[in-house]
Amino acid sequence: MQFQFTLVLASQSPRRSSLLSQAKVPFTVKVSAFDEAVIRSQKQSLGPSAYVSLSAKSKASDVCGSMGAEGVEGVEGPWVVLGCDTVVASPSGDILEKPVTEDEAKAHLRMLSGATHKVFTGVSLMTSWGEERTWAQATDVTFRELGEAEISDYVASGEPMDKAGSYGIQGAGGVFVEEIRGCYNNVVGMPLTKVYEEVKRLAESL
């Protein structure tokens, strides 16, 4: 679908780019320079929904702030910036982001083994004509019991190291999942249906 503006994805995530491409939504990428460490100390006090909303909004705002000064190649006329952030909330409520070490990745997977956790994705849409829409969406994911050997093998594959909660549902980590309640794409990194609907509404408001 064509829009009367350019959609700018404020993320270097190949999974989010793939989802937009899947939906046939034209877009360009300008990676946000926002440092998540600035708000990381607030994550437990805010809770996962508010935390990912703040992170997504901060990323979108950072790119919006640079649009006028630096611009983006190929962007002329009105634009909409799309910022996202995804975290996993363990069964006990701990917020799990991307693991820093393999040991941390293993610890994440042990927390998720044999239990239900929530995946939260925050989304923020900011426009060149002054509109903003920010929200968070949650999906429940249930893991089967995981053995130590398969946890070690999975972590050794490298797949968990760039993913919130240390697994990729769209990759080899999908074999850990027994049940999902809610939006599958939200777990991948973007609630695609909701994003598409909101982008359409913005197009109608232009």
Side-chain angles (χ1 to χ4, degrees):
M1 184 173 183
Q2 296 294 320
F3 298 108
Q4 294 179 312
F5 52 76
T6 301
L7 183 65
V8 182
L9 177 61
S11 171
Q12 62 185 353
S13 165
R15 294 170 292 281
R16 293 187 179 116
S17 290
S18 178
L19 286 170
L20 290 175
S21 297
Q22 170 188 318
K24 309 297 184 186
V25 175
F27 69 99
T28 189
V29 174
K30 182 172 176 59
V31 179
S32 169
F34 175 71
D35 184 358
E36 294 177 20
V38 173
I39 61 171
R40 191 161 289 137
S41 63
Q42 304 176 52
K43 67 181 181 181
Q44 292 303 143
S45 60
L46 286 173
S49 182
Y51 177 69
V52 291
S53 296
L54 176 59
S55 180
K57 183 175 181 177
S58 298
K59 292 175 182 180
S61 180
D62 174 73
V63 170
C64 284
S66 66
M67 289 292 287
E70 301 172 14
V72 175
E73 185 177 352
V75 176
E76 296 181 0
W79 44 260
V80 175
V81 173
L82 168 60
C84 299
D85 192 33
T86 301
V87 299
V88 168
S90 75
S92 62
D94 293 323
I95 296 177
L96 311 181
E97 298 184 271
K98 297 174 185 176
V100 176
T101 65
E102 289 191 352
D103 284 343
E104 185 178 21
K106 291 176 182 178
H108 287 175
L109 292 168
R110 291 187 193 107
M111 288 184 205
L112 305 181
S113 175
T116 298
H117 62 272
K118 289 183 179 290
V119 178
F120 291 84
T121 294
V123 180
S124 187
L125 292 163
M126 295 186 178
T127 76
S128 57
W129 60 96
E131 289 202 49
E132 177 197 326
R133 297 180 185 181
T134 301
W135 73 94
Q137 190 158 327
T139 301
D140 290 333
V141 181
T142 302
F143 268 25
R144 62 177 174 79
E145 292 284 350
L146 308 181
E148 279 298 314
E150 62 184 333
I151 288 175
S152 295
D153 288 346
Y154 181 58
V155 171
S157 75
E159 182 177 282
M161 302 311 295
D162 66 340
K163 296 173 180 65
S166 302
Y167 76 95
I169 195 171
Q170 74 283 4
V175 301
F176 302 152
V177 177
E178 278 189 340
E179 184 179 1
I180 179 171
R181 292 185 296 280
C183 176
Y184 170 86
N185 289 322
N186 192 54
V187 184
V188 177
M190 182 194 299
L192 184 60
T193 300
K194 175 70 170 175
V195 168
Y196 185 73
E197 290 173 345
E198 291 299 332
V199 170
K200 281 179 63 180
R201 290 190 182 101
L202 288 173
E204 292 164 1
S205 73
L206 181 58

